[in-house]
Amino acid sequence: MNDGNDTCTKRRKWIRRAEVLAGITALFAGISAPVLAQRAPGSGPAAAGGAQTAAGDWYIGLQLGRSSSGLGGSDIDGALAGQGIAGAASLSGRDTAGGLSLGYRLTPRFAVEAAYNRLGQYGYTSVATTPAADTLTGEYKASAWSLAAVGTLPLASGWSAYGKLGLAHTTTDLISASTTGITTPLNTSASTTGLLIGTGVTYDFSKSLFGKAGWDRYARVGEAAATGRTNIDLYSVGIGVRF
């Protein structure tokens, strides 16, 4: 009973955080919109000059970090139940993650960013009781393509804060195998689209080179009946180049 209440409380907290981050991103977009509307033909962030914009409107980034999944043993149990396999699963909820991003700055404070990220491989073990006593092992794999609006707020001495809001198309695979061969679990997959929110900071090493550290949350990853559904948090550091 307490576990259920704790889960509800955690969900309400994440919803409030999402609302705050969405508000921050909307605010950044609002700040940038008048600049975008007044921009003359042929002008742009690069034409405006400045340390952050002289290198060009495009940027590419590489990020690497750790992912944390909200997936639980009961989610794996639910997915296996769809195959007629009943049991109790346990799994690891963290893994190495990262990927690539490509963005275009419409103004010095507003950009559109596409990215691909590997969200992790989470190993699990399930002690099955039906249709026969058995032990299953496998992995829950997730990756995502995303498109997001990014609003930036310059701070001081080369530092900036950013907020991100967009959509992510995620692909998940539940890989399962029997350690004895008594049961024959199937490998299942799912593709879903969910909300992407994020925030972080960047630091300019030069006009073209920058570093970043941030947090992204991918919502509605996976399908409950096929692979198990969860949210995944990605904590990463990275480096990028403007061109």
Side-chain angles (χ1 to χ4, degrees), residues 10-106:
K10 290 179 180 179
R11 287 178 178 173
R12 286 194 293 268
K13 287 181 179 179
W14 280 116
I15 290 172
R16 286 196 293 269
R17 292 176 185 176
E19 290 173 345
V20 171
L21 287 170
I24 291 172
T25 304
L27 175 61
F28 288 159
I31 292 172
S32 301
V35 179
L36 179 61
Q38 295 173 10
R39 213 167 82 176
S43 64
Q52 295 188 18
T53 59
D57 299 345
W58 290 93
Y59 64 88
I60 187 169
L62 171 68
Q63 53 273 356
L64 182 67
R66 296 286 288 176
S67 60
S68 177
S69 168
L71 201 71
S74 60
D75 298 301
I76 301 297
D77 293 340
L80 293 175
Q83 302 183 39
I85 301 173
S90 60
L91 75 160
S92 168
R94 297 185 179 183
D95 193 25
T96 301
L100 296 169
S101 58
L102 175 67
Y104 181 78
R105 293 179 299 161
L106 299 172

Side-chain angles (χ1 to χ4, degrees), residues 94-121:
R94 297 185 179 183
D95 193 25
T96 301
L100 296 169
S101 58
L102 175 67
Y104 181 78
R105 293 179 299 161
L106 299 172
T107 78
R109 295 191 180 185
F110 184 75
V112 177
E113 182 178 290
Y116 170 80
N117 280 289
R118 173 190 176 277
L119 300 180
Q121 299 181 189

Side-chain angles (χ1 to χ4, degrees), residues 102-173:
L102 175 67
Y104 181 78
R105 293 179 299 161
L106 299 172
T107 78
R109 295 191 180 185
F110 184 75
V112 177
E113 182 178 290
Y116 170 80
N117 280 289
R118 173 190 176 277
L119 300 180
Q121 299 181 189
Y122 310 101
Y124 83 88
T125 300
S126 176
V127 179
T129 55
T130 303
D134 197 1
T135 299
L136 307 181
T137 60
E139 291 181 327
Y140 182 97
K141 301 179 180 181
S143 60
W145 290 94
S146 63
L147 183 65
V150 181
T152 302
L153 180 64
L155 300 175
S157 302
W159 289 94
S160 297
Y162 69 84
K164 179 189 299 184
L165 180 63
L167 294 174
H169 182 75
T170 57
T171 300
T172 53
D173 296 290

Side-chain angles (χ1 to χ4, degrees), residues 166-209:
L167 294 174
H169 182 75
T170 57
T171 300
T172 53
D173 296 290
L174 183 63
I175 310 300
S176 305
S178 167
T179 59
T180 65
I182 296 175
T183 56
T184 54
L186 302 175
N187 296 331
T188 55
S189 301
S191 295
T192 56
T193 300
L195 184 68
L196 168 65
I197 58 175
T199 188
V201 294
T202 63
Y203 179 77
D204 293 335
F205 296 106
S206 68
K207 292 181 180 180
S208 59
L209 183 66

